[in-house]
Amino acid sequence: MRPPASPAPNAPLPAVSPMLRRLAEERATGALMRESGTLYLADGQVVHAESPATPGIDVLLTAGGTLARAGWWEAVAAAGARQRVAAYLVDSGRVPGGALELCHLGAVYDAAFFALAPTSTPARFRYGVSHWIGPVHPVAAGSVERETLRRRELLDRIWPDGAVDTAPLVRLPDAAAVPLTPRRRAVLAAVDGSRSAAEIARGLGRSAFHTLVDVRRLAAAGALDAVRSYGRPEDASSGPRTGAPVLPEVTPDPDIALLRRLRDALEVL
């Protein structure tokens, strides 16, 4: 399968969500609710995002020991009603401001990728709604759209079978012979025939999208596949396991380089 063609430099960006674009132009404030998640806007910018497919910012902060679970719930109890949880965490010294901003930015892009997935279910917008996390670092809606498109194209270049993104995963017989990085070794170790990539990401306390990157690379290497209802995983392969396209995760684009540094920073939290 050929990777999707990149748009020409001056070509208009394809609309991931026409409603998001319109709300950004209106400088709207509220919650854009879609089938796979919710984006919160303030003056047309994305200030938070949530999706059931991704670990929340609480998981990202607490899984690596940056914040104790008790500290998180204390912040929610003390400042949630005032929609100042982020400010409380920083002002009380529980989380450094830079670490919170990096973690929040990662959570926003992660959840937005899933929330903006193609769907036939109509989106809804509730004006005036804001999230209890409070102000952290707003992101332009156009930046969210560009990153969402880049991530879709990246996944398809790595391995074009999206079944591994959502189905339970199973290890293949040749998995033991595949050379692995520590990150992918941890992902593969969590594959048990019943857990999906999203469940593995939540268990590891990692970005769901970057877990998908690891899962697709493992699929391309012949280490795992989706559990399929009509036979063994390898019987349903969309193509030969050898010679599968495995391209670099990033491009020289400075925005992409920033996101890679963000990913690396989140991994050591």
Side-chain angles (χ1 to χ4, degrees):
M1 174 180 288
R2 289 180 176 272
S6 299
N10 297 322
L13 183 70
V16 174
S17 167
M19 182 179 284
L20 176 60
R21 285 198 177 181
R22 176 174 62 79
L23 293 167
E25 292 169 359
E26 291 179 3
R27 300 179 61 86
T29 295
L32 174 59
M33 295 175 288
R34 291 171 56 90
E35 182 179 21
S36 300
T38 301
L39 275 66
Y40 294 86
L41 307 181
D43 293 326
Q45 293 186 299
V46 179
V47 292
H48 193 63
E50 292 180 331
S51 170
T54 65
I57 188 173
D58 57 325
V59 175
L60 297 178
L61 282 171
T62 59
T66 302
L67 177 68
R69 292 293 300 177
W72 169 261
W73 290 115
E74 177 187 330
V76 171
R82 296 181 288 115
Q83 300 180 343
R84 298 282 296 171
V85 171
Y88 182 91
L89 289 170
V90 174
D91 294 345
S92 64
R94 284 165 175 76
V95 180
L100 178 66
E101 188 170 315
L102 280 172
C103 193
H104 181 259
L105 188 60
V108 166
Y109 277 116
D110 203 30
F113 172 77
F114 293 92
L116 293 173
T119 176
S120 59
T121 303
R124 296 180 295 131
F125 188 72
R126 294 181 60 192
Y127 284 92
V129 175
S130 54
H131 194 273
W132 45 261
I133 192 73
V136 182
H137 184 87
V139 182
S143 296
V144 172
E145 282 197 301
R146 282 191 294 274
E147 178 60 11
T148 296
L149 287 170
R150 186 195 74 85
R151 291 183 177 203
R152 289 180 189 173
E153 293 170 359
L154 170 61
L155 290 177
D156 285 341
R157 290 199 305 269
I158 294 170
W159 183 246
D161 183 2
V164 295
D165 294 352
T166 55
L169 299 169
V170 63
R171 274 178 274 193
L172 295 179
D174 294 336
V178 176
L180 300 174
T181 63
R183 275 186 57 87
R184 287 173 204 149
R185 187 176 300 113
V187 170
L188 187 60
V191 172
D192 61 2
S194 64
R195 284 191 281 187
S196 66
E199 291 167 326
I200 290 172
R202 192 170 293 107
L204 295 174
R206 293 181 181 175
S207 155
F209 171 75
H210 291 297
T211 301
L212 286 189
V213 169
D214 290 331
V215 164
R216 290 222 193 184
R217 290 189 184 280
L218 288 165
L224 60 74
D225 198 3
V227 173
R228 305 181 192 260
S229 59
Y230 48 85
R232 296 182 304 161
E234 56 268 36
D235 293 337
S237 172
S238 61
R241 292 285 167 177
T242 58
V246 180
L247 302 185
E249 291 189 20
V250 296
T251 71
D253 186 296
D255 289 339
I256 305 309
L258 172 62
L259 287 164
R260 186 178 189 180
R261 291 197 297 274
L262 168 63
R263 180 200 65 189
D264 293 341
L266 288 173
E267 288 175 5
V268 300
L269 285 177

